[in-house]
Amino acid sequence: MTSVRIATRQSPLALWQARHVGALLKAHHPGLEVSFVEMTTEGDRFLSAPLSSVGGKGLFVKEIEQALIDGRADIAVHSLKDMTSELPEGLVLAAVPEREDPRDAFCGIGGQTTVASLPEGARVGTSSLRRSCILRSRRADLEIVSVRGNVQTRLSKTKELGLAGALLAHAGLKRLGLEHVITEVLSTDVSLPAVGQGVLAIQCRGDDARVCGLLAPLEHATTRVAVTAERALLAKLEGGCTVPLAGHATVSDGLVHLRGLVGRPDGAHVVRGEVRGPVAKAAELGEALADDLLSRGAADILRDFARRPGARP
C-alpha cells in the first residue's frame, strides 16, 4: 500500500493545514496511508523578539525542508507567505491548492470594531512588519505592539496586554474556526496582503516522481499564476533581509493584476505600484513591478533597512 509522510510545524494552524492536505491526498488516492512528522522550528522557539531581528520568516520552514532533504519526510506543508523566494537545491513547490481569503483581519477587543474607529493612541498588536508599516501609514497615532506566537497565543496576548485589538490573517482564523473573533476584514485596498498570503505551499523532492505524481491533482492553476507573479516580485525585492513589503495578484480573463508596496517600518514612506499583463508573463510582471518600485524609492528604503541596528541577512 502506498504511503506518504508529511512534515509540519506543531502549531494548531500548521497541523490543520497538514491534515487538510492529507485529506485531499486521500480523497484523490483512495487507500493512501498518510502519517505526520511534527516538528518545532527555530521560528517557534524564539518568540521573545520581533521576527525580523531573529532571522526572518525563513525560520519557520528551514528545518522542515531539511527533513525532506534528509529523507525523514516525503512532503512538507507550509503557509506560502512564510517561505523565502529561493527554494533549497533539490526541492520543488510541487503544488499550490486553491487560495483561501488573502485579506488581513482586525480582531477588536473591548468594543473596538474597526481600525478607522480606534481612539487616538490606541495600542494594536501584530507580528508583521508589513502590517505595522501599512497601519502606521494610515494611522500614525497608533502604538504598535509586537505580539508573536501561534494564532491562539496572539489572541490571548492581545487581551492580556490590554490592547485594542490585533491584526491577523483572515485565512488562518477561518481555518481554525475563529471567524467569530473578527470585527473587521480589511480590504486589499486598505491592507495589501503579503506575498502568498492565504496559499498553502506543498513541497517535495524534485526527483521523487512518485510523490510529485500524487500531488499533481492538488494543483490549482489560477493560484499558481498569481503566486508566480507575487514570488517573482518578492525575489527581486527581498534584498537579503526581512523588509516591510507586500504583493498580491488577482487573475481574471487571462490577465494578471499585480499590486505591490515597499515601506519604511514607521509607515512614513511607502512606495506603491501595480502592473497588468497576460498570465503567460506572470513572472515577468513581478520582475517589472519590482523594477518600478525600486526606481521610485524602494531601493533606498531597502538599503536603509538593511543597515538598521540588529538587521540580519
Side-chain angles (χ1 to χ4, degrees), residues 115-122 134-142:
V115 172
S117 65
L118 289 173
E120 185 174 352
I134 292 173
L135 195 57
R136 284 171 167 151
S137 73
R138 294 181 175 275
R139 290 288 306 271
D141 62 291
L142 298 178

Side-chain angles (χ1 to χ4, degrees), residues 223-233 282-283 286:
T223 299
R224 174 70 72 167
V225 170
V227 300
T228 295
E230 293 171 18
R231 285 175 61 77
L233 171 73

Side-chain angles (χ1 to χ4, degrees), residues 242-257:
T242 301
V243 297
L245 66 87
H248 179 61
T250 55
V251 182
S252 179
D253 297 325
L255 295 175
V256 180
H257 178 205

Side-chain angles (χ1 to χ4, degrees), residues 5-79:
R5 299 161 296 165
I6 300 179
T8 174
R9 293 167 58 205
Q10 292 180 318
S11 75
L13 179 57
L15 288 172
W16 183 97
Q17 293 174 167
R19 290 166 182 159
H20 175 67
V21 169
L24 291 175
L25 282 169
K26 292 176 79 170
H28 284 284
H29 308 289
L32 179 70
E33 288 189 354
V34 176
S35 60
F36 300 94
V37 181
E38 299 180 20
M39 304 177 63
T40 299
T41 68
E42 192 173 358
D44 297 308
R45 290 189 289 271
F46 292 97
L47 297 175
S48 59
L51 189 60
S52 58
S53 68
V54 293
K57 59 186 179 179
L59 293 181
F60 288 119
V61 302
K62 290 178 182 177
E63 288 157 296
I64 294 175
E65 290 177 327
Q66 192 61 47
L68 285 181
I69 294 169
D70 294 344
R72 288 175 285 141
D74 306 301
I75 295 169
V77 179
H78 314 283
S79 294

Side-chain angles (χ1 to χ4, degrees), residues 31 64 71 107 123 153 192 204 298:
I64 294 175
C107 302
R123 302 166 71 222
T153 298
L192 193 65
C204 70

